[in-house]
Amino acid sequence: MRTTPLKRVIGCILAMTMLFALAACGQQAPQAPGQSQETQTSAKNEEPPAPETGTPATDGENGKTLVVYYSATGNTEAVAGYIADALGADTFEIVPAKPYTSEDLDWTDKNSRVSREHDNESLQAVELVSAAVENWEDYDTVFIGYPIWWHVAAWPVSSFVVSNDFTGKTVIPFCTSSSSGLGESGELLAETTGTGDWLEGQRFRSSVSEADVVEWVNSLEITSES
């Protein structure tokens, strides 16, 4: 069959139309189900999220906590243990190079060791087994506990604080006594070292319960780093 000029023209027009349609489809990006072309374009130009580098610290969160204590009869040691358990903190015991005996601690005897040391301040520079705390620089919060001797901290504690730099540390004193209050013992220790941010302390009776100590610790809102 002979093809007429008119049919050839119509065939060329149809062929060109199909070519243009195919070219337009090739330039359009495929769409995800339920996603418009506008949404696709916006997602393509959006910056990818930055990688997470860790969880920021919560306001008021502290670093590692240390409980330092001197205990003559075991009462202060018990309180120190309650504090450490409540916070998951480390402990450091202040130990005199020459331990105090029960006779040494008899303050009613004017010839006892503590009485002689009280009367002669030069004897209050008690030598310690060690005043050096391992990784001391890692602790941000330091509790310092002691029994009260003549309204001040037991002198082995003074020997400890004068040997250490508390710069950048929050220091919280606590004491145990049968009747005497905390008094100015904390302020005097702060003056002795001259460094650190010393907060108001707490006095506990000699037979204080763990619940009472933990209640006080919780009121401080301290979070210790493991």
Side-chain angles (χ1 to χ4, degrees):
M1 180 182 295
R2 180 180 294 179
T3 305
T4 64
L6 179 59
K7 289 183 176 180
R8 286 199 296 269
V9 171
I10 293 173
C12 290
I13 292 172
L14 290 172
M16 292 177 65
T17 301
M18 292 179 65
L19 287 173
F20 280 119
L22 289 171
C25 289
Q27 294 176 355
Q28 183 175 351
Q31 296 184 33
Q35 186 178 33
S36 67
Q37 179 66 27
E38 180 181 352
T39 305
Q40 247 192 359
T41 303
S42 175
K44 183 178 179 180
N45 295 332
E46 186 178 339
E47 289 288 336
E52 294 185 3
T53 56
T55 304
T58 305
D59 289 344
E61 187 172 272
N62 298 88
K64 294 186 69 175
T65 300
L66 177 69
V67 182
V68 177
Y69 67 94
Y70 168 66
S71 187
T73 60
N75 294 322
T76 308
E77 182 177 27
V79 175
Y82 298 152
I83 296 172
D85 288 345
L87 293 173
D90 296 331
T91 60
F92 180 88
E93 182 179 7
I94 299 172
V95 180
K98 181 183 177 183
Y100 286 84
T101 65
S102 57
E103 290 78 12
D104 291 338
L105 295 170
D106 185 3
W107 59 272
T108 63
D109 179 0
K110 65 179 182 179
N111 293 315
S112 70
R113 177 180 173 184
V114 290
S115 295
R116 287 184 283 106
E117 290 173 343
H118 171 259
D119 295 338
N120 185 351
E121 290 188 4
S122 66
L123 299 178
Q124 295 178 16
V126 178
E127 181 183 358
L128 305 179
V129 171
S130 176
V133 178
E134 186 176 0
N135 299 319
W136 172 252
E137 66 281 358
D138 293 342
Y139 296 101
D140 293 341
T141 304
V142 179
F143 286 81
I144 294 187
Y146 46 84
I148 291 291
W149 289 357
W150 283 276
H151 307 290
V152 298
W155 11 100
V157 180
S158 297
S159 297
F160 175 85
V161 300
V162 78
S163 302
N164 287 280
D165 183 1
F166 291 83
T167 300
K169 302 184 188 301
T170 298
V171 190
I172 306 171
F174 66 94
C175 75
T176 57
S177 70
S178 57
S179 58
S180 300
L182 186 71
E184 297 182 347
S185 60
E187 290 90 335
L188 293 174
L189 290 175
E191 292 176 7
T192 298
T193 180
T195 58
D197 179 18
W198 289 69
L199 305 185
E200 182 178 354
Q202 179 71 20
R203 174 258 175 186
F204 296 103
R205 65 185 186 277
S206 300
S207 57
V208 65
S209 68
E210 181 175 6
D212 287 345
V213 176
V214 171
E215 181 180 4
W216 172 68
V217 171
N218 291 339
S219 72
L220 300 175
E221 298 183 348
I222 293 174
T223 302
S224 179
E225 182 182 276
S226 299

